[in-house]
Amino acid sequence: MFGDRLRFGAFIAPFHALDENPTLALQRDLELVQWLEHLGYEEAWIGEHHSAGYELIASPELFIAAAAERTRSIRLGTGVSSLPYHHPLMLAERMNQLDHMTRGRVMFGVGPGSLSSDAVMMGIPVARQRDRMDEALDVLVRLLRGEEVTHTSDWFQLVNARLQLTPYSRPSIEMAVASQVSPTGARAAGKHGIGLLSLGATTTAGFNALAANWRIAEELARDHGKTVKREAWRLVGQMHIAETRDKAIDQVRFGLEKWLYYFREVANLPLVPDHAGGDPVEAYLATGSAVIGTPDDAIARIHQLTEESGGFGSFLLMAHNWADWEATKRSYELIARYVMPRFQQLNVNRQASMDWARQNKKGFTAQSRAAVGERIASHMEEKGAENIQPDIAEKVRARAAGKKPPG
């Protein structure tokens, strides 16, 4: 693992099926962020979507503002802001304001927009989304560093534009670009020397693209005189954890089929296979795209991701609502209790301390018994053995006489 401490967080699109109250679903997303902070997770990334029904949050900035008032330490990122949907100056101003309001806890994740249906509603050519992301990012990086920018485009214009407030975070808020299989995100991260958000890292396609995309980011960084850091690389994976594998599988029957339906029939994202027969839970398990099992299963998959990628800085759990609310919270808790310590070296000193005590137990026990015996002997010398158990008194006398104690 890169460094000594892997960070953990959540990537909250979110995904809420159409059979529940959307107002309560949004409230539960806020409660999830609070629960994550309580358990020691360090990051939560919030999505932006405008169509297709499941992904309810239209403004990650509004959500972050509310979540920031309910929390104190967890960092909050846009996961991600779809750059072609916004005038860059307006988006930069909102993020800069959040940077001040959160005292530096906000992060700025960007992408081209994941749902083609969002772009179509705004009259944005789907084929131009990635080009527009690149163009917007070029000026956003400069604006968020406090620079003055003039830029003319076929879809936005900047004339001596600059942020009204000096950035709270220096030289800029932390930025990251979303990436799945295509090299778009990796190229943008390398060009600007910013972080990379690898979505779907536990899927076959996403997993296979990890090493290649990082090499692309490093190459583009060299080409532009920048550097990319592995600690700023975040991998997003799908997991649900319970005390046993059978229990985890049983719990995800609550909502996994609805989640699979969304990706197969509605969303244009390659997170699930197009076709799989039989029981949907068993079929999805067979793809190996997610960990539905125990803390040990989660540990094994993160080790696998480490080996394939060469090292990264943060593992983000994709929030999915496969299980009911209580089982979902329990899954995050089990990861915090049993998975995080393995990748944060939280118990290294405890293990060393226990090993030392175990290896020296015989000697420590002898010293302890000798100390107790000396105190008993001292008491017997002063007060006699009347109130001392006879067998103990006999052993003390034997030791005092240099003889082997009986028994």
Side-chain angles (χ1 to χ4, degrees):
M1 180 56 57
F2 182 86
D4 294 326
R5 193 176 189 281
L6 180 67
R7 303 185 306 278
F8 283 79
F11 191 87
I12 306 171
F15 301 110
H16 295 299
L18 268 62
D19 59 356
E20 66 172 302
N21 186 323
T23 307
L24 297 180
L26 288 168
Q27 181 62 39
R28 196 168 70 247
D29 291 333
L30 286 167
E31 291 173 10
L32 175 58
V33 175
Q34 292 174 276
W35 182 240
L36 292 170
E37 180 177 73
H38 171 73
L39 294 172
Y41 288 82
E42 297 179 62
E43 302 178 357
W45 296 76
I46 315 301
E48 174 192 359
H49 304 89
H50 304 279
S51 62
Y54 269 48
E55 301 172 83
L56 298 180
I57 296 174
S59 172
E61 302 97 329
L62 279 176
F63 187 98
I64 288 170
E69 289 300 301
R70 291 163 168 81
T71 57
R72 289 294 175 265
S73 61
I74 192 169
R75 300 188 70 204
L76 303 164
T78 58
V80 295
S81 294
S82 300
L83 298 191
Y85 305 167
H86 306 277
H87 190 288
L89 180 60
M90 295 298 96
L91 186 55
E93 286 281 19
R94 294 197 297 271
M95 294 306 303
N96 195 45
Q97 180 176 329
L98 279 176
D99 188 34
H100 282 267
M101 290 172 63
T102 64
R103 302 293 179 94
R105 280 198 287 147
V106 73
M107 302 171 290
F108 189 28
V110 304
S114 59
L115 296 176
S116 299
S117 49
D118 287 356
V120 168
M121 288 198 303
M122 288 178 266
I124 298 170
V126 174
R128 294 289 316 282
Q129 283 180 256
R130 284 159 182 78
D131 293 338
R132 290 189 178 187
M133 182 199 80
D134 290 338
E135 186 176 19
L137 186 57
D138 286 344
V139 300
L140 278 163
V141 168
R142 296 168 59 195
L143 287 169
L144 287 167
R145 288 176 179 162
E147 298 178 20
E148 181 180 291
V149 180
T150 295
H151 184 90
T152 299
S153 168
D154 61 351
W155 63 286
F156 72 87
Q157 187 172 3
L158 294 170
V159 180
N160 302 122
R162 69 187 319 146
L163 296 177
Q164 192 167 220
L165 296 176
T166 300
Y168 182 89
S169 299
R170 308 295 174 84
S172 171
I173 66 174
E174 184 176 1
M175 301 180 68
V177 190
S179 171
Q180 289 201 61
V181 178
S182 84
T184 302
R187 290 180 60 87
K191 178 181 178 181
H192 297 287
I194 58 180
L196 189 63
L197 272 167
S198 293
L199 309 180
T202 52
T203 65
T204 301
F207 179 82
N208 292 338
L210 290 175
N213 275 337
W214 187 252
R215 287 194 295 270
I216 290 170
E218 288 183 319
E219 181 181 358
L220 266 290
R222 286 193 298 270
D223 291 346
H224 290 84
K226 302 289 176 60
T227 58
V228 285
K229 298 179 180 179
R230 287 184 178 270
E231 57 261 38
W233 187 13
R234 294 163 171 91
L235 270 55
V236 182
Q238 304 164 28
M239 292 186 177
H240 177 78
I241 302 304
E243 289 81 358
T244 68
R245 196 169 299 169
D246 287 343
K247 186 174 181 179
I249 293 171
D250 184 60
Q251 287 175 347
V252 301
R253 293 187 184 281
F254 172 84
L256 178 57
E257 190 169 1
K258 298 172 186 176
W259 186 84
L260 292 172
Y261 173 84
Y262 175 65
F263 285 102
R264 283 180 180 152
E265 305 295 334
V266 182
N268 52 290
L269 293 171
L271 289 183
V272 302
D274 290 334
H275 303 287
D279 178 84
V281 174
E282 297 295 340
Y284 191 59
L285 276 171
T287 69
S289 297
V291 175
I292 302 175
T294 67
D296 285 341
D297 294 325
I299 290 168
R301 181 60 64 89
I302 295 173
H303 277 306
Q304 185 184 34
L305 289 168
T306 301
E307 292 173 3
E308 177 66 19
S309 67
F312 54 96
S314 181
F315 182 73
L316 306 178
L317 294 150
M318 179 176 282
H320 44 59
N321 293 301
W322 293 344
D324 69 21
W325 181 224
E326 292 305 317
T328 295
K329 289 196 296 182
R330 179 64 172 164
S331 176
Y332 285 106
E333 181 184 356
L334 289 171
I335 289 171
R337 290 178 65 183
Y338 300 113
V339 179
M340 286 188 196
R342 292 288 292 273
F343 297 96
Q344 296 179 338
Q345 288 73 52
L346 294 181
N347 290 323
V348 170
N349 280 9
R350 291 177 68 198
Q351 182 68 55
S353 181
M354 186 178 74
D355 291 344
W356 174 71
R358 177 178 53 80
Q359 292 162 6
N360 293 280
K361 180 182 178 182
K362 185 175 180 180
F364 294 156
T365 300
Q367 292 180 51
S368 178
R369 288 175 176 172
V372 172
E374 288 175 8
R375 183 52 60 93
I376 294 173
S378 175
H379 176 81
M380 289 170 59
E381 184 177 349
E382 179 182 351
K383 297 291 186 180
E386 180 179 352
N387 294 316
I388 304 297
Q389 293 180 30
D391 59 330
I392 294 178
E394 187 177 355
K395 289 179 180 179
V396 170
R397 292 191 187 100
R399 288 195 183 95
K403 300 176 181 179
K404 181 179 179 181

